Amino acid sequence: MTTSLQDGQSAAGRAAAQDSPLAAQVCGAAQGRGDARDLEPAPWLHARALLPPPDGTRGCAADRRKKKDLDVLEMPSIPNPFPELCCSPFTSVLSAGLFPKANSRKKQVIKVYSEDETSRALEVPSDITARDVCQLLILKNHYIDDHSWTLFEHLPHIGLERTMEDHELVIEVLSNWGMEEENKLYFRKNYAKYEFFKNPMYFFPEHMVSFATETNGEISPTQILQMFLSSSTYPEIHGFLHAKEQGKKSWKKIYFLLRRSGLYFSTKGTSKEPRHLQFFSEFGNSDIYVSLAGKKKHGAPTNYGFCFKPNKAGGPRDLKMLCAEEEQSRTCWVTAIRLLKYGMQLYQNYMHPYQGRSGCSSQSVSPMRSISENSLVAMDFSGQKSRVIENPTEALSVAVEEGLAWRKKGCLRLATHGSPTASSQSSATNMAIHRSQPWFHHKISRDEAQRLIIQQGLVDGVFLVRDSQSNPKTFVLSMSHGQKIKHFQIIPVEDDGELFHTLDDGHTRFTDLIQLVEFYQLNKGVLPCKLKHYCARIAL
């Protein structure tokens, strides 16, 4: 009986070995010839191999079942259409493969404020840049994108604020904020963000710029700007600044020198010798902030303060406070530090404003029509077809005729109603129509007007119109020119019972403030320059 069993098992093993190597391995283990280092048979294989069939019929049936099992093993495997619903009996039910893969771009909710303290919450990815946030708010609020919209980091507890660069990661900046700090992100315009690329002569005065190596001939402001962007050469910014002594409330006037390696001050007058220069601050791991209330919060001698703040530390003791004598000096220091810190990245942000990381590309934004002065041409629409007036003399005469017709039309608009009551009602309407304009600010002080213009950039032509505080019946035009803010009084003039507005003692009269602003946007007149950008308080 034992011999027949072994012979039957051997015959079955030989037949199976010819069909499948896997079956030969299993049968070899059942016959006891497998080595201990080979595949360890399962318990059910041992039980099945050691139990002899009671008769030859059951032995043949066992062979047929084994042959059938071998045929099943030879069939090609069919892929499972729902692998996530199945799991191996040898693996844990809570397998990591059953869970969805984590999204690398995690989203976070941020809150952005405007000048009127209205806010808007945005859900943004972790790699969103400051420019992408601006682009998102522009699209959501249907604003016109003139590349001047900017994100600001505002630190109210220490009275500091800075312009966030377009390439900076917003979530990374927010991660450096303390839990107890009430810091905010502001969204508003900053016309001076890249103005130094357009007019570098306003940002680098000659008395503040020197060169580490001797130069042949006079260096233009454009060449100075190119030196900042170059890695080999650099100009030195130097001058006196008020510095707050560490751990004290007192300020000391010291001679400072800005180089690519950092900011230094001289311990002996204006000496630039290495033995007299002492390191003050580096700007690789620090950000440059502008002080909003330096006199009140830090006891600064002037209102033109700025400071270095480390990225990771946020305490007032870690701040390195400085103060300039005038706005032009502060602008020069801050601009030079920005250029030395970011270099060509700033130029790329200026040339390619739509290059972002989180999908707000130029493909989703319609191209803006240029409104620069170089793109404006004189046109003649009197005939059946319009034509460009190429002759400058003809263009000037047409402009004068248009201005006279415009003024005459404005006078006729006031005189359309015959009765004095109707005329006075029309005049009152013209007096109040300016209140809906974005450039008009009702009853703000002189200091508030200057603060708004400084916030939105000391660029030539930035302006606003406000009510006069000294004379309730007049208005004031506040504008920026030459990095200074100037104020012009708009005086009401009455002629034959009609009320007009003028800036030049009645030589040029306007029926309302809208006419006045539109005229000086096209003509310089008595102003130092044309009106270009208006200061507006937006609402999110």
Side-chain angles (χ1 to χ4, degrees), residues 122-174:
L122 300 173
E123 187 180 20
V124 298
S126 58
D127 60 345
I128 194 169
T129 62
R131 176 60 195 174
D132 292 333
V133 173
C134 293
Q135 193 65 33
L136 191 61
L137 291 171
I138 289 169
L139 296 176
K140 286 182 177 292
N141 294 279
H142 307 287
Y143 295 142
I144 296 177
D145 187 10
D146 55 359
H147 304 164
S148 62
W149 294 102
T150 310
L151 209 61
F152 289 83
E153 182 188 5
H154 183 70
L155 312 178
H157 63 291
I158 50 180
L160 300 178
E161 187 177 79
R162 76 176 180 98
T163 300
M164 289 184 61
E165 305 298 346
D166 287 342
H167 64 274
E168 286 191 77
L169 298 179
V170 178
I171 304 302
E172 185 177 329
V173 174
L174 268 61

Side-chain angles (χ1 to χ4, degrees), residues 234-301:
Y234 64 92
E236 294 179 345
I237 305 298
H238 59 89
F240 282 95
L241 291 172
H242 298 274
K244 187 176 182 181
E245 298 186 59
Q246 198 74 15
K248 299 181 181 179
K249 294 183 178 181
S250 59
W251 292 73
K252 188 177 181 181
K253 194 173 183 179
I254 310 174
Y255 184 78
F256 279 86
L257 185 68
L258 179 65
R259 293 179 175 175
R260 193 172 294 276
S261 57
L263 184 64
Y264 300 85
F265 67 91
S266 178
T267 58
K268 186 177 181 181
T270 59
S271 175
K272 296 182 181 180
E273 295 184 16
R275 60 194 180 97
H276 295 150
L277 293 181
Q278 188 171 343
F279 181 78
F280 181 78
S281 176
E282 55 86 28
F283 38 80
N285 297 321
S286 301
D287 291 318
I288 186 73
Y289 289 80
V290 172
S291 179
L292 301 178
K295 283 187 174 182
K296 183 177 180 181
K297 285 187 174 291
H298 306 286

Side-chain angles (χ1 to χ4, degrees), residues 216-235:
N216 297 325
E218 187 176 350
I219 302 297
S220 65
T222 305
Q223 292 175 324
I224 295 174
L225 190 62
Q226 292 175 353
M227 289 182 180
F228 275 113
L229 301 178
S230 174
S231 58
S232 57
T233 60
Y234 64 92

